[in-house]
Amino acid sequence: MTHKREIQGIVVTNGADKSATILVERRVMHPRYHKTVKRFKKYMIHDENNQLNIGDLVIAIECRPLSKSKSFRLKSLVKAGVSA
């Protein structure tokens, strides 16, 4: 069995049907200045039940490619965001 990558991020958009975009932050050391800097990347994830809202903290797991831009599916909702 292969190891599936898990990413944790905050939902930034959920406009598409059964899809959401999450923003994943990672911290890396700057090669010259040796200071920790933040790097961000957005991932499209598959949300089968359309349960995610903007601001939710989620964990997504890698899966087979579901579309051109989706290769992750929702694993769990860690914390619900503040609803407006």
Side-chain angles (χ1 to χ4, degrees), residues 9-16 19-23 45 47 49-58 74 76-84:
I10 297 174
V11 177
V12 289
T13 61
N14 62 350
S19 296
T21 303
I22 63 171
L23 185 69
I45 66 168
D47 175 20
N49 301 322
N50 284 324
Q51 65 184 7
L52 297 180
N53 295 313
I54 295 174
D56 291 350
L57 183 65
V58 298
L74 179 65
S76 63
L77 176 65
V78 177
K79 186 174 74 171
V82 178
S83 36

Side-chain angles (χ1 to χ4, degrees), residues 1 4-8 18-20 22 43-49 51-52 58-66 69-77:
M1 186 173 167
K4 306 278 186 177
R5 261 192 321 160
E6 289 187 4
I7 55 175
Q8 181 173 341
K18 296 187 179 182
S19 296
I22 63 171
Y43 292 92
M44 288 281 289
I45 66 168
H46 184 67
D47 175 20
E48 182 66 36
N49 301 322
Q51 65 184 7
L52 297 180
V58 298
I59 295 176
I61 190 165
E62 193 174 23
C63 63
R64 66 180 178 85
L66 299 170
S69 57
K70 283 199 298 190
S71 293
F72 286 88
R73 62 181 166 80
L74 179 65
K75 180 178 181 185
S76 63
L77 176 65

